[in-house]
Amino acid sequence: MVLGRTIAVHIRCRRDGDMTTHRAKNPHAVTSAAARQLSPRSDREARRVLVCLCDPTRFKIVRALQATELAAGDIAIVIERSRATTSHHLQILRDVSAVKGRREKNVIYYRLSDDLTAKVLDAVEAAFDLFLPH
């Protein structure tokens, strides 16, 4: 980094779409932080996963499935919701690939998936484990 060098950062305002220019106080820090930003596609996926988990019912479902695979009806019992409500929330979790289901006759068993979405959910869940009594 050259002393006295300034970097102009162009920002498109979300509200009116105009371009504005700001001078970086710490160009190296700005460059490092900008490199850590997600691509637009990854950003959309991250938003979907995080919005999905922000619902208390879906949060409870994920917590329950961390322990073991469960039948849909058993999930409803654990989270104290109706089967219809549970089914609705399981569909949303399936849509973001957070859970996977397998059919055994007329019963669907759910488990957390193994993809990136599940890893994100596991990390968030681990953070909330700090609230558990010791």
Side-chain angles (χ1 to χ4, degrees):
M1 182 166 85
V2 178
L3 293 176
R5 182 175 171 228
T6 60
I7 293 180
V9 179
H10 298 284
I11 300 171
R12 184 172 301 278
C13 182
R14 285 185 178 226
R15 199 172 295 150
D16 56 20
D18 288 343
M19 292 292 286
T20 60
T21 302
H22 297 280
R23 295 200 189 280
K25 302 287 189 229
N26 184 339
H28 179 68
V30 169
T31 302
S32 295
R36 302 245 334 126
Q37 298 305 301
L38 298 174
S39 69
R41 182 177 181 194
S42 296
D43 185 58
R44 283 190 301 276
E45 277 300 308
R47 285 174 193 244
R48 281 179 20 143
V49 171
L50 294 173
V51 166
C52 168
L53 191 59
C54 286
D55 182 89
T57 299
R58 292 190 287 272
F59 187 78
K60 288 179 180 182
I61 291 171
V62 170
R63 297 279 301 174
L65 292 176
Q66 280 187 312
T68 186
E69 177 182 76
L70 289 168
D74 292 343
I75 294 170
I77 292 168
V78 170
I79 67 169
E80 300 175 332
R81 298 288 188 269
S82 70
R83 286 182 181 214
T85 298
T86 302
S87 178
H88 168 75
H89 288 287
L90 284 167
Q91 178 62 50
I92 293 169
L93 289 167
R94 278 194 310 268
D95 289 346
V96 297
S97 303
V99 299
K100 290 187 177 184
R102 70 172 176 84
R103 181 177 291 276
E104 194 171 292
K105 297 185 182 177
N106 65 341
V107 178
I108 300 176
Y109 291 90
Y110 288 93
R111 64 179 172 79
L112 292 178
S113 65
D114 299 326
D115 69 356
L116 180 62
T117 300
K119 290 178 184 175
V120 169
L121 295 175
D122 282 342
V124 171
E125 290 294 321
F128 282 105
D129 282 343
L130 297 173
F131 291 126
L132 293 174
H134 297 283

